[in-house]
Amino acid sequence: MRLNSGLLSLEEAYVFAEVRQRTQRFSAGRPEVKLISLGIGDVPGPLCPAVTRAMRRAVKEQGRQKSFHGYGPEQGYPFLRQQIAASLTATGAPVQPREVFINDGAKTDLGGLLDLLEPGSRVLLCDPTYPAVWDDCLIRGLEPVRLPADEGNDFLPMPPPGKPDLDAVYLCSPANPTGAVYNRAQLSAWVEYARANELLILFDAAYAPFISDPALPRSIYEIPGAHRCAIEIGSFSKLAGFTGTRCGYAILPCELIVRGYPLQTLWARRQSARTNGVSYVVQCGAAAVYSPAGRRQTAKSIARISENAALLAETLKAAGLSYWGGRHSPYLWVKCPRGLSSWAFFDFLLEYGGVVGTPGVGFGAAGEGYFRFSAFGDPAQLQIGCNRLLRAMDYLR
Ligand code: PLP
């Protein structure tokens, strides 16, 4: 048996394992310190009542012969596809239900969609970035190409000059880990670049629900021409606390045709080979997010996380730290003070604040010297964490 060399080439998920190890080592030595995490990438939960009610109803249906659902459509149930399409269309991103493909979370399809590319294809990725896509390129025999996201471009890199030797580009806005958000003009420039050079854009909108300014695009389909060059991936994880329930979607517009092949048809064919779809119960829960109660309740949770982000931003400012993000995003990207490395700042905050964050170097080599804070915590805990952070920073003055 020959093993997949791309899989063998993956680096250890070193940073996250190391965060756990250092945290455990610290707690073993100083059990009296109750650590507070300002680095959580998971939502605090729970699911909102509109969602749990719909899921309970669906479970009951599954327990009765006359309402039982067996295998569903691979692309997802029409009732959910319609809701997603209608919601995007209502906010200025016209999408048809048949263009929506339901999945069990964005991560699955961010990797899966790379199956549309021939092995050896070159994919442009920001550095730092959400690391799963980088790994997935390697697993599938694609070549990831780094695009520096740095202070010089406000962590919002624009298309590189010249004729690109590329097949696709992965963009994430609002971005993990930097919290940077592309504006309409910037996203339009990417769409123009993709169309002029026949590239595919994979647009990750997992954090779009945090955008509260209507002037900022929540979907790439708000940009003219995007239907001809972009696939968008959305998720219920951060929108409605589905990180453990699992549901998301990919949008493949009818106009997205490459070398005469409609990608929507190719993707539908690929899905019929690879999946039997997402659980009926979960899809009923996801559809309830679009009910009036679901919208109200999810908006409340998003607002709470956004308030956390604002508190973190104030704290960082008061601490005299340079940071990006935190508006229209749950993430804040901090420059480590005094030229400290990501790990040195991690150790410092642990030791002097009892606070855990995420070293920026975990998101790519260009993340060295930066640090990610996240607003997904319990507000009371976050407040304590912020106070500790401020006090800890006094030791550096
Ligand atoms: N995309 C980005 C940028 C993320 O940060 C995450 C998760 O943290 C995902 C996608 C995955 O989302 P899901 O839970 O829908 O798989």
PDB file of all heavy atoms in Angstrom, residues 265-295:
ATOM      1  N   THR A 265     -23.316  21.237 -11.501  1.00  0.00           N
ATOM      2  CA  THR A 265     -23.610  19.853 -11.929  1.00  0.00           C
ATOM      3  C   THR A 265     -22.490  18.917 -11.480  1.00  0.00           C
ATOM      4  O   THR A 265     -22.735  17.818 -10.989  1.00  0.00           O
ATOM      5  CB  THR A 265     -23.726  19.808 -13.479  1.00  0.00           C
ATOM      6  OG1 THR A 265     -24.575  20.872 -13.880  1.00  0.00           O
ATOM      7  CG2 THR A 265     -24.270  18.488 -13.956  1.00  0.00           C
ATOM      8  N   LEU A 266     -21.249  19.386 -11.646  1.00  0.00           N
ATOM      9  CA  LEU A 266     -20.101  18.557 -11.231  1.00  0.00           C
ATOM     10  C   LEU A 266     -20.155  18.285  -9.734  1.00  0.00           C
ATOM     11  O   LEU A 266     -19.891  17.174  -9.274  1.00  0.00           O
ATOM     12  CB  LEU A 266     -18.790  19.300 -11.523  1.00  0.00           C
ATOM     13  CG  LEU A 266     -18.079  19.071 -12.833  1.00  0.00           C
ATOM     14  CD1 LEU A 266     -16.751  19.827 -12.820  1.00  0.00           C
ATOM     15  CD2 LEU A 266     -17.829  17.584 -13.069  1.00  0.00           C
ATOM     16  N   TRP A 267     -20.502  19.337  -8.976  1.00  0.00           N
ATOM     17  CA  TRP A 267     -20.539  19.206  -7.511  1.00  0.00           C
ATOM     18  C   TRP A 267     -21.679  18.267  -7.090  1.00  0.00           C
ATOM     19  O   TRP A 267     -21.521  17.424  -6.203  1.00  0.00           O
ATOM     20  CB  TRP A 267     -20.681  20.580  -6.860  1.00  0.00           C
ATOM     21  CG  TRP A 267     -20.678  20.533  -5.358  1.00  0.00           C
ATOM     22  CD1 TRP A 267     -21.702  20.900  -4.538  1.00  0.00           C
ATOM     23  CD2 TRP A 267     -19.616  20.093  -4.500  1.00  0.00           C
ATOM     24  NE1 TRP A 267     -21.342  20.727  -3.221  1.00  0.00           N
ATOM     25  CE2 TRP A 267     -20.064  20.229  -3.168  1.00  0.00           C
ATOM     26  CE3 TRP A 267     -18.335  19.590  -4.726  1.00  0.00           C
ATOM     27  CZ2 TRP A 267     -19.281  19.887  -2.069  1.00  0.00           C
ATOM     28  CZ3 TRP A 267     -17.542  19.246  -3.630  1.00  0.00           C
ATOM     29  CH2 TRP A 267     -18.016  19.391  -2.324  1.00  0.00           C
ATOM     30  N   ALA A 268     -22.836  18.399  -7.765  1.00  0.00           N
ATOM     31  CA  ALA A 268     -23.964  17.521  -7.445  1.00  0.00           C
ATOM     32  C   ALA A 268     -23.562  16.067  -7.698  1.00  0.00           C
ATOM     33  O   ALA A 268     -23.877  15.165  -6.917  1.00  0.00           O
ATOM     34  CB  ALA A 268     -25.179  17.898  -8.285  1.00  0.00           C
ATOM     35  N   ARG A 269     -22.817  15.852  -8.772  1.00  0.00           N
ATOM     36  CA  ARG A 269     -22.360  14.489  -9.099  1.00  0.00           C
ATOM     37  C   ARG A 269     -21.388  13.989  -8.042  1.00  0.00           C
ATOM     38  O   ARG A 269     -21.463  12.853  -7.589  1.00  0.00           O
ATOM     39  CB  ARG A 269     -21.676  14.497 -10.484  1.00  0.00           C
ATOM     40  CG  ARG A 269     -21.167  13.153 -10.915  1.00  0.00           C
ATOM     41  CD  ARG A 269     -22.324  12.187 -11.148  1.00  0.00           C
ATOM     42  NE  ARG A 269     -21.861  10.813 -11.350  1.00  0.00           N
ATOM     43  CZ  ARG A 269     -21.630   9.940 -10.366  1.00  0.00           C
ATOM     44  NH1 ARG A 269     -21.806  10.298  -9.090  1.00  0.00           N
ATOM     45  NH2 ARG A 269     -21.222   8.729 -10.635  1.00  0.00           N
ATOM     46  N   ARG A 270     -20.487  14.870  -7.643  1.00  0.00           N
ATOM     47  CA  ARG A 270     -19.504  14.509  -6.609  1.00  0.00           C
ATOM     48  C   ARG A 270     -20.217  14.198  -5.292  1.00  0.00           C
ATOM     49  O   ARG A 270     -19.912  13.233  -4.609  1.00  0.00           O
ATOM     50  CB  ARG A 270     -18.517  15.663  -6.453  1.00  0.00           C
ATOM     51  CG  ARG A 270     -17.359  15.409  -5.503  1.00  0.00           C
ATOM     52  CD  ARG A 270     -17.724  15.874  -4.117  1.00  0.00           C
ATOM     53  NE  ARG A 270     -16.593  15.810  -3.202  1.00  0.00           N
ATOM     54  CZ  ARG A 270     -16.705  15.798  -1.892  1.00  0.00           C
ATOM     55  NH1 ARG A 270     -17.896  15.839  -1.315  1.00  0.00           N
ATOM     56  NH2 ARG A 270     -15.642  15.753  -1.116  1.00  0.00           N
ATOM     57  N   GLN A 271     -21.222  15.017  -4.949  1.00  0.00           N
ATOM     58  CA  GLN A 271     -21.948  14.804  -3.700  1.00  0.00           C
ATOM     59  C   GLN A 271     -22.707  13.480  -3.723  1.00  0.00           C
ATOM     60  O   GLN A 271     -22.785  12.783  -2.721  1.00  0.00           O
ATOM     61  CB  GLN A 271     -22.937  15.956  -3.447  1.00  0.00           C
ATOM     62  CG  GLN A 271     -22.294  17.273  -3.076  1.00  0.00           C
ATOM     63  CD  GLN A 271     -21.513  17.213  -1.788  1.00  0.00           C
ATOM     64  OE1 GLN A 271     -20.410  16.684  -1.764  1.00  0.00           O
ATOM     65  NE2 GLN A 271     -22.073  17.732  -0.721  1.00  0.00           N
ATOM     66  N   SER A 272     -23.255  13.126  -4.898  1.00  0.00           N
ATOM     67  CA  SER A 272     -24.012  11.870  -4.957  1.00  0.00           C
ATOM     68  C   SER A 272     -23.079  10.678  -4.741  1.00  0.00           C
ATOM     69  O   SER A 272     -23.490   9.623  -4.297  1.00  0.00           O
ATOM     70  CB  SER A 272     -24.785  11.759  -6.273  1.00  0.00           C
ATOM     71  OG  SER A 272     -23.884  11.498  -7.322  1.00  0.00           O
ATOM     72  N   ALA A 273     -21.784  10.871  -5.048  1.00  0.00           N
ATOM     73  CA  ALA A 273     -20.817   9.793  -4.816  1.00  0.00           C
ATOM     74  C   ALA A 273     -20.314   9.775  -3.374  1.00  0.00           C
ATOM     75  O   ALA A 273     -19.896   8.741  -2.871  1.00  0.00           O
ATOM     76  CB  ALA A 273     -19.628   9.956  -5.768  1.00  0.00           C
ATOM     77  N   ARG A 274     -20.345  10.932  -2.697  1.00  0.00           N
ATOM     78  CA  ARG A 274     -19.634  11.046  -1.423  1.00  0.00           C
ATOM     79  C   ARG A 274     -20.509  11.176  -0.176  1.00  0.00           C
ATOM     80  O   ARG A 274     -20.001  11.048   0.931  1.00  0.00           O
ATOM     81  CB  ARG A 274     -18.682  12.256  -1.464  1.00  0.00           C
ATOM     82  CG  ARG A 274     -17.527  12.115  -2.426  1.00  0.00           C
ATOM     83  CD  ARG A 274     -16.524  11.083  -1.968  1.00  0.00           C
ATOM     84  NE  ARG A 274     -15.713  11.517  -0.856  1.00  0.00           N
ATOM     85  CZ  ARG A 274     -14.574  12.212  -0.977  1.00  0.00           C
ATOM     86  NH1 ARG A 274     -14.139  12.547  -2.173  1.00  0.00           N
ATOM     87  NH2 ARG A 274     -13.899  12.551   0.079  1.00  0.00           N
ATOM     88  N   THR A 275     -21.796  11.477  -0.342  1.00  0.00           N
ATOM     89  CA  THR A 275     -22.586  11.730   0.877  1.00  0.00           C
ATOM     90  C   THR A 275     -24.041  11.303   0.698  1.00  0.00           C
ATOM     91  O   THR A 275     -24.559  11.291  -0.424  1.00  0.00           O
ATOM     92  CB  THR A 275     -22.530  13.229   1.270  1.00  0.00           C
ATOM     93  OG1 THR A 275     -23.370  13.442   2.408  1.00  0.00           O
ATOM     94  CG2 THR A 275     -22.992  14.146   0.156  1.00  0.00           C
ATOM     95  N   ASN A 276     -24.654  10.957   1.798  1.00  0.00           N
ATOM     96  CA  ASN A 276     -26.096  10.745   1.795  1.00  0.00           C
ATOM     97  C   ASN A 276     -26.793  11.887   2.517  1.00  0.00           C
ATOM     98  O   ASN A 276     -27.902  11.742   3.027  1.00  0.00           O
ATOM     99  CB  ASN A 276     -26.448   9.404   2.433  1.00  0.00           C
ATOM    100  CG  ASN A 276     -26.281   8.268   1.434  1.00  0.00           C
ATOM    101  OD1 ASN A 276     -26.595   8.433   0.247  1.00  0.00           O
ATOM    102  ND2 ASN A 276     -25.756   7.149   1.866  1.00  0.00           N
ATOM    103  N   GLY A 277     -26.129  12.999   2.584  1.00  0.00           N
ATOM    104  CA  GLY A 277     -26.777  14.204   3.090  1.00  0.00           C
ATOM    105  C   GLY A 277     -26.647  14.365   4.595  1.00  0.00           C
ATOM    106  O   GLY A 277     -25.917  13.641   5.271  1.00  0.00           O
ATOM    107  N   VAL A 278     -27.356  15.359   5.080  1.00  0.00           N
ATOM    108  CA  VAL A 278     -27.284  15.764   6.495  1.00  0.00           C
ATOM    109  C   VAL A 278     -28.581  15.333   7.177  1.00  0.00           C
ATOM    110  O   VAL A 278     -29.648  15.339   6.560  1.00  0.00           O
ATOM    111  CB  VAL A 278     -27.103  17.305   6.565  1.00  0.00           C
ATOM    112  CG1 VAL A 278     -27.129  17.803   7.999  1.00  0.00           C
ATOM    113  CG2 VAL A 278     -25.803  17.714   5.885  1.00  0.00           C
ATOM    114  N   SER A 279     -28.484  14.988   8.437  1.00  0.00           N
ATOM    115  CA  SER A 279     -29.627  14.490   9.210  1.00  0.00           C
ATOM    116  C   SER A 279     -30.872  15.390   9.073  1.00  0.00           C
ATOM    117  O   SER A 279     -30.764  16.626   9.142  1.00  0.00           O
ATOM    118  CB  SER A 279     -29.186  14.405  10.670  1.00  0.00           C
ATOM    119  OG  SER A 279     -30.218  14.790  11.541  1.00  0.00           O
ATOM    120  N   TYR A 280     -32.013  14.760   8.913  1.00  0.00           N
ATOM    121  CA  TYR A 280     -33.280  15.486   8.800  1.00  0.00           C
ATOM    122  C   TYR A 280     -33.505  16.366  10.026  1.00  0.00           C
ATOM    123  O   TYR A 280     -33.891  17.535   9.931  1.00  0.00           O
ATOM    124  CB  TYR A 280     -34.421  14.467   8.642  1.00  0.00           C
ATOM    125  CG  TYR A 280     -35.795  15.075   8.710  1.00  0.00           C
ATOM    126  CD1 TYR A 280     -36.265  15.907   7.694  1.00  0.00           C
ATOM    127  CD2 TYR A 280     -36.634  14.830   9.808  1.00  0.00           C
ATOM    128  CE1 TYR A 280     -37.531  16.480   7.765  1.00  0.00           C
ATOM    129  CE2 TYR A 280     -37.898  15.393   9.885  1.00  0.00           C
ATOM    130  CZ  TYR A 280     -38.337  16.219   8.859  1.00  0.00           C
ATOM    131  OH  TYR A 280     -39.582  16.788   8.936  1.00  0.00           O
ATOM    132  N   VAL A 281     -33.228  15.796  11.200  1.00  0.00           N
ATOM    133  CA  VAL A 281     -33.472  16.520  12.455  1.00  0.00           C
ATOM    134  C   VAL A 281     -32.633  17.809  12.493  1.00  0.00           C
ATOM    135  O   VAL A 281     -33.125  18.886  12.857  1.00  0.00           O
ATOM    136  CB  VAL A 281     -33.134  15.614  13.672  1.00  0.00           C
ATOM    137  CG1 VAL A 281     -33.264  16.385  14.974  1.00  0.00           C
ATOM    138  CG2 VAL A 281     -34.007  14.375  13.672  1.00  0.00           C
ATOM    139  N   VAL A 282     -31.377  17.687  12.089  1.00  0.00           N
ATOM    140  CA  VAL A 282     -30.481  18.854  12.100  1.00  0.00           C
ATOM    141  C   VAL A 282     -30.959  19.902  11.091  1.00  0.00           C
ATOM    142  O   VAL A 282     -30.966  21.113  11.384  1.00  0.00           O
ATOM    143  CB  VAL A 282     -29.027  18.407  11.798  1.00  0.00           C
ATOM    144  CG1 VAL A 282     -28.141  19.600  11.477  1.00  0.00           C
ATOM    145  CG2 VAL A 282     -28.460  17.624  12.982  1.00  0.00           C
ATOM    146  N   GLN A 283     -31.391  19.452   9.933  1.00  0.00           N
ATOM    147  CA  GLN A 283     -31.851  20.419   8.921  1.00  0.00           C
ATOM    148  C   GLN A 283     -33.124  21.145   9.385  1.00  0.00           C
ATOM    149  O   GLN A 283     -33.311  22.323   9.096  1.00  0.00           O
ATOM    150  CB  GLN A 283     -32.084  19.730   7.581  1.00  0.00           C
ATOM    151  CG  GLN A 283     -30.776  19.281   6.943  1.00  0.00           C
ATOM    152  CD  GLN A 283     -30.965  18.810   5.514  1.00  0.00           C
ATOM    153  OE1 GLN A 283     -31.350  19.576   4.637  1.00  0.00           O
ATOM    154  NE2 GLN A 283     -30.685  17.537   5.272  1.00  0.00           N
ATOM    155  N   CYS A 284     -33.979  20.431  10.134  1.00  0.00           N
ATOM    156  CA  CYS A 284     -35.170  21.101  10.676  1.00  0.00           C
ATOM    157  C   CYS A 284     -34.739  22.176  11.674  1.00  0.00           C
ATOM    158  O   CYS A 284     -35.297  23.278  11.700  1.00  0.00           O
ATOM    159  CB  CYS A 284     -36.088  20.091  11.374  1.00  0.00           C
ATOM    160  SG  CYS A 284     -36.938  19.025  10.216  1.00  0.00           S
ATOM    161  N   GLY A 285     -33.735  21.842  12.484  1.00  0.00           N
ATOM    162  CA  GLY A 285     -33.218  22.824  13.451  1.00  0.00           C
ATOM    163  C   GLY A 285     -32.655  24.035  12.732  1.00  0.00           C
ATOM    164  O   GLY A 285     -32.907  25.189  13.114  1.00  0.00           O
ATOM    165  N   ALA A 286     -31.890  23.797  11.663  1.00  0.00           N
ATOM    166  CA  ALA A 286     -31.274  24.904  10.921  1.00  0.00           C
ATOM    167  C   ALA A 286     -32.349  25.785  10.282  1.00  0.00           C
ATOM    168  O   ALA A 286     -32.246  27.024  10.295  1.00  0.00           O
ATOM    169  CB  ALA A 286     -30.319  24.357   9.862  1.00  0.00           C
ATOM    170  N   ALA A 287     -33.404  25.155   9.751  1.00  0.00           N
ATOM    171  CA  ALA A 287     -34.464  25.941   9.102  1.00  0.00           C
ATOM    172  C   ALA A 287     -35.144  26.864  10.120  1.00  0.00           C
ATOM    173  O   ALA A 287     -35.573  27.977   9.780  1.00  0.00           O
ATOM    174  CB  ALA A 287     -35.478  25.020   8.447  1.00  0.00           C
ATOM    175  N   ALA A 288     -35.205  26.401  11.377  1.00  0.00           N
ATOM    176  CA  ALA A 288     -35.872  27.208  12.415  1.00  0.00           C
ATOM    177  C   ALA A 288     -35.102  28.492  12.731  1.00  0.00           C
ATOM    178  O   ALA A 288     -35.664  29.430  13.301  1.00  0.00           O
ATOM    179  CB  ALA A 288     -36.053  26.381  13.687  1.00  0.00           C
ATOM    180  N   VAL A 289     -33.826  28.541  12.348  1.00  0.00           N
ATOM    181  CA  VAL A 289     -33.037  29.771  12.548  1.00  0.00           C
ATOM    182  C   VAL A 289     -33.680  30.925  11.768  1.00  0.00           C
ATOM    183  O   VAL A 289     -33.563  32.088  12.151  1.00  0.00           O
ATOM    184  CB  VAL A 289     -31.575  29.541  12.081  1.00  0.00           C
ATOM    185  CG1 VAL A 289     -30.787  30.828  12.007  1.00  0.00           C
ATOM    186  CG2 VAL A 289     -30.882  28.530  13.002  1.00  0.00           C
ATOM    187  N   TYR A 290     -34.372  30.601  10.675  1.00  0.00           N
ATOM    188  CA  TYR A 290     -34.963  31.640   9.818  1.00  0.00           C
ATOM    189  C   TYR A 290     -36.399  32.004  10.216  1.00  0.00           C
ATOM    190  O   TYR A 290     -37.015  32.853   9.586  1.00  0.00           O
ATOM    191  CB  TYR A 290     -34.922  31.198   8.348  1.00  0.00           C
ATOM    192  CG  TYR A 290     -33.494  30.995   7.875  1.00  0.00           C
ATOM    193  CD1 TYR A 290     -32.938  29.722   7.810  1.00  0.00           C
ATOM    194  CD2 TYR A 290     -32.687  32.078   7.537  1.00  0.00           C
ATOM    195  CE1 TYR A 290     -31.625  29.528   7.403  1.00  0.00           C
ATOM    196  CE2 TYR A 290     -31.374  31.910   7.132  1.00  0.00           C
ATOM    197  CZ  TYR A 290     -30.846  30.631   7.073  1.00  0.00           C
ATOM    198  OH  TYR A 290     -29.547  30.450   6.680  1.00  0.00           O
ATOM    199  N   SER A 291     -36.935  31.317  11.239  1.00  0.00           N
ATOM    200  CA  SER A 291     -38.279  31.686  11.708  1.00  0.00           C
ATOM    201  C   SER A 291     -38.154  33.021  12.450  1.00  0.00           C
ATOM    202  O   SER A 291     -37.056  33.393  12.880  1.00  0.00           O
ATOM    203  CB  SER A 291     -38.808  30.606  12.660  1.00  0.00           C
ATOM    204  OG  SER A 291     -38.005  30.595  13.832  1.00  0.00           O
ATOM    205  N   PRO A 292     -39.272  33.742  12.628  1.00  0.00           N
ATOM    206  CA  PRO A 292     -39.152  35.030  13.337  1.00  0.00           C
ATOM    207  C   PRO A 292     -38.502  34.868  14.714  1.00  0.00           C
ATOM    208  O   PRO A 292     -37.611  35.637  15.085  1.00  0.00           O
ATOM    209  CB  PRO A 292     -40.608  35.502  13.438  1.00  0.00           C
ATOM    210  CG  PRO A 292     -41.300  34.829  12.291  1.00  0.00           C
ATOM    211  CD  PRO A 292     -40.618  33.507  12.090  1.00  0.00           C
ATOM    212  N   ALA A 293     -38.914  33.819  15.461  1.00  0.00           N
ATOM    213  CA  ALA A 293     -38.322  33.626  16.800  1.00  0.00           C
ATOM    214  C   ALA A 293     -36.847  33.269  16.672  1.00  0.00           C
ATOM    215  O   ALA A 293     -36.000  33.765  17.421  1.00  0.00           O
ATOM    216  CB  ALA A 293     -39.072  32.526  17.546  1.00  0.00           C
ATOM    217  N   GLY A 294     -36.524  32.406  15.698  1.00  0.00           N
ATOM    218  CA  GLY A 294     -35.136  31.991  15.492  1.00  0.00           C
ATOM    219  C   GLY A 294     -34.248  33.178  15.162  1.00  0.00           C
ATOM    220  O   GLY A 294     -33.141  33.314  15.680  1.00  0.00           O
ATOM    221  N   ARG A 295     -34.739  34.045  14.320  1.00  0.00           N
ATOM    222  CA  ARG A 295     -33.954  35.249  13.944  1.00  0.00           C
ATOM    223  C   ARG A 295     -33.696  36.133  15.159  1.00  0.00           C
ATOM    224  O   ARG A 295     -32.594  36.626  15.366  1.00  0.00           O
ATOM    225  CB  ARG A 295     -34.702  36.064  12.875  1.00  0.00           C
ATOM    226  CG  ARG A 295     -34.600  35.488  11.489  1.00  0.00           C
ATOM    227  CD  ARG A 295     -35.418  36.337  10.520  1.00  0.00           C
ATOM    228  NE  ARG A 295     -35.527  35.687   9.230  1.00  0.00           N
ATOM    229  CZ  ARG A 295     -34.625  35.778   8.254  1.00  0.00           C
ATOM    230  NH1 ARG A 295     -33.537  36.497   8.435  1.00  0.00           N
ATOM    231  NH2 ARG A 295     -34.810  35.154   7.115  1.00  0.00           N
TER     232      ARG A 295
END
